[in-house]
Amino acid sequence: MSEFPIINWTEAGKTFTARWRSESGALPPKRVIIADDTTKADEAYSLACEGTALLWRGDFQNAKQLLQAMSRRADRKPRKISTIPSETFNLHRQAQSQRARTLAMILVPLDSDFTIPLRRAPDVRHACSEVYGTGRELSVVALRELLGLIGAHEWRKKGVEIPALGVSGPGARIHPHYGVFSPVRGEYVNLVNEAPFPPAYPEPALAFDIGTGTGVLAAVLARRGVKHVLATDQDPRALACARENIARFGLGEQVEVLQADLFPAGKAPLIVCNPPWIPARPGTPIEHAIFDPDSRMLHGFIGGLAAHLEQGGEGWLILSDIAEHLGLRTRDELLAAFDAAGLKVIDRIDVKPHHPKVSDAADPLHAARVAEITSLWRLAVH
């Protein structure tokens, strides 16, 4: 087990070690004590805030109830506020990060086959193997991460209905894998489904989908009649997810999924990209689809687009303006990036998002979410 992070603890006077599992890359807690059904929520929350982890030996369902009780205590903690949007965002991120670290201090053991050796524990072997691969040794994981794995496994089985795919039933559902962003915000998918093709290419023979994720936009383009779509991504989970979805849709002859940093080789008359919308550092695997440090992917797409567009072709950039409302990027900066890359804006198609957080007045970022617009920028070479 030396090649993996190791967690150590003392139990019944003996020292134990196990493999530490954390998909976010969190280090194993330095201090671990044993907890069970007699552990009170106030005590557990206080210990967790101090950085002490609790390895659970009681009933699994009671552990979930304890985690919920700790969540309520964390949510009651006073939050710092600011009148400056960027400071509000940073304070919110700091609070969320601290909350996540505290709630990650409830730990559960996993046997070598991913069985949870606790009373009333669910069978998580399939969910764990989808994320961790083959189990070979005893391990320990944060209960919060384990519940995330279970939830992701259910989403993967059930899928997300995508009306823009133009069919009903199983053929209209995208099945996201763990760590791959789920297209639950359908407004950006609808933009790609409804935007007019470039006038010079009313029936594009080729399109690139940059940062394909689940493969949803590549599938939409193929269903719209694009003869060949090259869909790229760097993340192995995204690549596996996209390939699985494309195969499920029967689009394997139209859509090719490639591992690449942004663009594949060559040029195309249509290039689509839905980069992360917020220039900030991700804290978990799934956040890589939301947060883009220094707008690396956004600027990489803008800067490389002209060299990969066929004459008369278009690049479609799908981007929310929430970063502008959070004070993290200005519209002038975005337009200046277009100009510096030799691009012109042909058109912009806007839509208001309708996700639940728009109506949550208690959300610290409520003002930005209410003002948010998602746009499809139609870009061409000057």
Side-chain angles (χ1 to χ4, degrees), residues 34-320:
I34 302 302
D36 57 25
D37 300 331
T38 64
T39 304
K40 303 299 183 183
D42 285 337
E43 176 191 5
Y45 182 67
S46 178
L47 288 167
C49 288
E50 296 169 358
T52 298
L54 294 85
L55 179 59
W56 194 255
R57 291 302 189 192
D59 180 272
F60 182 84
Q61 302 304 323
N62 287 345
K64 288 177 60 178
Q65 291 180 11
L66 177 65
L67 184 62
Q68 292 170 359
M70 291 173 61
S71 299
R72 292 191 293 270
R73 284 160 175 76
D75 292 338
R76 290 199 298 264
K77 187 175 181 180
R79 302 290 177 89
K80 297 179 181 178
I81 58 175
S82 173
T83 58
I84 302 173
S86 60
E87 288 186 1
T88 298
F89 171 75
N90 289 328
L91 289 170
H92 174 66
R93 290 274 286 159
Q94 290 170 12
Q96 291 296 95
S97 178
Q98 179 59 51
R99 181 183 189 274
R101 285 195 298 270
T102 300
L103 298 182
M105 290 296 168
I106 302 296
L107 314 180
V108 292
L110 295 173
D111 286 342
S112 59
D113 64 349
F114 299 131
T115 298
I116 304 173
L118 301 175
R119 296 188 306 277
R120 291 202 296 166
D123 185 348
V124 299
R125 289 174 296 176
H126 193 183
C128 286
S129 63
E130 287 177 343
V131 177
Y132 298 143
T134 303
R136 293 185 296 272
E137 63 277 302
L138 301 178
S139 57
V140 171
V141 62
L143 174 59
R144 195 165 185 258
E145 176 170 312
L146 183 62
L147 295 176
L149 264 66
I150 296 170
H153 175 67
E154 293 304 315
W155 274 112
R156 183 168 174 172
K157 286 196 302 181
K158 179 182 177 182
V160 179
E161 187 171 1
I162 308 294
L165 290 171
V167 294
S168 58
R173 303 189 80 85
I174 283 284
H175 296 258
H177 291 196
Y178 179 85
V180 183
F181 190 71
S182 175
V184 291
R185 286 186 56 167
E187 80 269 6
Y188 76 90
V189 180
N190 291 335
L191 288 173
V192 172
N193 189 45
E194 296 167 3
F197 284 143
Y201 301 91
E203 297 180 354
L206 176 65
F208 296 165
D209 174 24
I210 309 301
T212 193
T214 61
V216 60
L217 297 185
V220 167
L221 291 172
R223 286 275 170 84
R224 288 192 63 184
V226 177
K227 295 180 178 61
H228 189 201
V229 181
L230 294 181
T232 69
D233 212 297
Q234 291 193 99
D235 181 60
R237 283 179 176 158
L239 293 166
C241 179
R243 287 173 179 139
E244 182 180 292
N245 281 310
I246 294 303
R248 183 182 286 107
F249 295 144
L251 297 173
E253 293 186 0
Q254 276 181 269
V255 179
E256 184 178 358
V257 180
L258 304 172
Q259 184 168 14
D261 183 3
L262 297 176
F263 300 92
K267 296 185 177 184
L270 178 62
I271 304 179
V272 177
C273 182
N274 175 34
W277 292 343
I278 300 178
R281 184 174 60 85
T284 63
I286 195 67
E287 288 187 347
H288 284 275
I290 305 169
F291 300 110
D292 183 16
D294 301 318
S295 298
R296 188 200 74 84
M297 184 175 179
L298 173 63
H299 289 301
F301 173 74
I302 293 173
L305 181 58
H308 290 275
L309 271 180
E310 295 280 12
Q311 185 175 0
E314 293 182 16
W316 290 357
L317 172 64
I318 300 95
L319 193 67
S320 159

Side-chain angles (χ1 to χ4, degrees), residues 340-358:
L343 302 172
K344 62 182 178 182
V345 178
I346 297 174
D347 191 16
R348 193 185 76 230
I349 309 171
D350 298 335
V351 64
K352 287 283 292 182
H354 301 288
H355 57 87
K357 287 189 176 181
V358 172

